[in-house]
Amino acid sequence: MIPKSHPRYESLLLRDKIVKASQKGYLADSGMIAHGRGEAFDYLIGEKTTYPAKRAMYVAVAALLLSNNPVISVNGNASALACDEIIDLANEISAKIEINLFYRTDERVRLLTKLYKNRGFDGILGTLDDDIEYIDNIKNNRASASKSGIYSSDTILVPLEDGDRAEILKKSGKNIITIDLNPLSRTSKMSDVSIVDNIVRAIPFMTKIAKDLKDQDKKFLMDMVNEFDNEENLKESLQQIKLKE
Ligand code: PTJ
């Protein structure tokens, strides 16, 4: 039990979620290392949602709302930290959720399927009995995708993704949105919209934005997407890192 008075309470709470997911068997072994890297970057941006992150979130939500088949790709870490919030966002923007793992095992897929179904999201994709296709006929795990999900989607939100996967999706012509605390990662650089923020802050904020943007006309949303420059926004995100007190 973590005392609420602890100065690092929020951070310890997230660690606890990661540890519990590991004990339950759906976190990748290196999920803890990935979390630690994320923590370090979060610390450097002051553990707050920055202005460039907010701007990227507005554009991301606009792109998802404009999309014909939006999909949120989930892995062990994203599910450990924000499963309920991801479901809320998916419901708000009518997106599908697909399990897609870097360190894929049938057991982890089974446990994650159960996690989403137990939370009431029965339409979870990427399950063991799903219809799987290979993007651009690349026969490796990183290119495998659900036929009705990522395979046929136009816009994909890939939080905490690894660079290989982002590259395959990008090359196949899909619109890629990422949430990654590291503005220098291959995924951040490769994506169309990179949200440099902690997934636990970003996803609920995006749901709020979706409620606001849902009734806006298409032209307004398209202008937001077209005016956005991810490279420029990433530079601004990098400038948010403070190495001095
Ligand atoms: O569940 P699996 O098998 O798909 O594996 C998931 C991990 C995350 C282990 C796998 O995709 C991986 O190894 O990823 P990387 O290459 O470590 O990249 C993860 C990125 O997410 C890093 O750039 C981290 O800085 C970032 N990150 C970590 N925690 C958070 C985060 N970004 C946003 N919010 C976080 N809480």
Side-chain angles (χ1 to χ4, degrees):
M1 180 75 177
I2 307 155
K4 276 201 165 153
S5 57
H6 195 288
R8 303 285 308 146
Y9 176 73
E10 298 293 339
S11 173
L12 292 178
L13 214 60
L14 298 188
R15 282 191 180 188
D16 195 51
K17 287 185 177 183
I18 289 287
V19 170
K20 289 209 169 99
S22 175
Q23 287 163 349
K24 286 181 183 157
Y26 65 83
L27 194 87
D29 287 344
S30 59
M32 291 206 187
I33 300 169
H35 184 75
R37 186 189 294 171
E39 266 189 358
F41 279 105
D42 205 12
Y43 200 85
L44 292 171
I45 60 167
E47 295 171 326
K48 281 198 286 278
T49 300
T50 65
Y51 180 73
K54 279 185 191 163
R55 177 162 51 205
M57 281 190 246
Y58 271 90
V59 175
V61 172
L64 286 161
L65 289 172
L66 286 168
S67 165
N68 292 322
N69 188 11
V71 175
I72 305 176
S73 172
V74 292
N75 60 17
N77 286 59
S79 305
L81 295 173
C83 175
D84 289 330
E85 292 78 5
I86 288 169
I87 293 174
D88 286 347
L89 176 62
N91 288 335
E92 195 61 45
I93 59 172
S94 305
K96 294 169 179 165
I97 303 179
E98 177 167 340
I99 300 164
N100 193 272
L101 305 181
F102 185 55
Y103 301 101
R104 191 185 186 284
T105 65
D106 283 359
E107 179 60 1
R108 289 186 63 218
V109 172
R110 198 183 60 74
L111 288 168
L112 282 162
T113 303
K114 209 169 130 200
L115 181 78
Y116 282 89
K117 287 199 171 168
N118 283 348
R119 310 279 174 113
F121 201 86
D122 289 328
I124 183 79
L125 297 172
T127 58
L128 293 177
D129 55 2
D130 200 352
D131 213 351
I132 298 296
E133 294 273 354
Y134 288 91
I135 296 165
D136 293 342
N137 287 320
I138 305 170
K139 292 263 187 258
N140 87 31
N141 262 348
R142 307 306 298 138
S144 68
S146 163
K147 198 173 174 184
S148 59
I150 289 177
Y151 184 76
S152 53
S153 72
D154 42 358
T155 306
I156 314 164
L157 172 61
V158 282
L160 281 88
E161 186 58 86
D162 78 290
D164 286 358
R165 173 84 183 163
E167 191 172 2
I168 290 171
L169 294 175
K170 185 66 219 150
K171 278 191 180 153
S172 72
K174 297 179 191 298
N175 202 14
I176 308 299
I177 299 163
T178 191
I179 302 171
D180 188 334
L181 278 160
N182 180 0
L184 298 167
S185 75
R186 243 173 5 114
T187 306
S188 291
K189 286 185 177 163
M190 214 165 312
S191 299
D192 297 283
V193 183
S194 307
I195 300 162
V196 181
D197 199 12
N198 197 318
I199 188 173
V200 301
R201 293 190 299 270
I203 298 277
F205 197 82
M206 288 171 78
T207 306
K208 275 192 198 150
I209 295 172
K211 288 184 204 291
D212 282 352
L213 292 188
K214 244 170 134 173
D215 300 324
Q216 293 287 348
D217 64 87
K218 272 193 168 189
K219 162 96 174 61
F220 179 82
L221 300 181
M222 271 156 94
D223 285 348
M224 276 175 79
V225 173
N226 291 336
E227 281 162 20
F228 181 70
D229 180 339
N230 199 46
E231 213 178 310
E232 202 46 51
N233 204 58
L234 268 180
K235 274 188 204 154
E236 277 187 47
S237 299
L238 198 55
Q239 285 160 6
Q240 306 299 314
I241 293 181
K242 293 181 188 71
L243 295 171
K244 283 190 212 147
E245 261 204 308

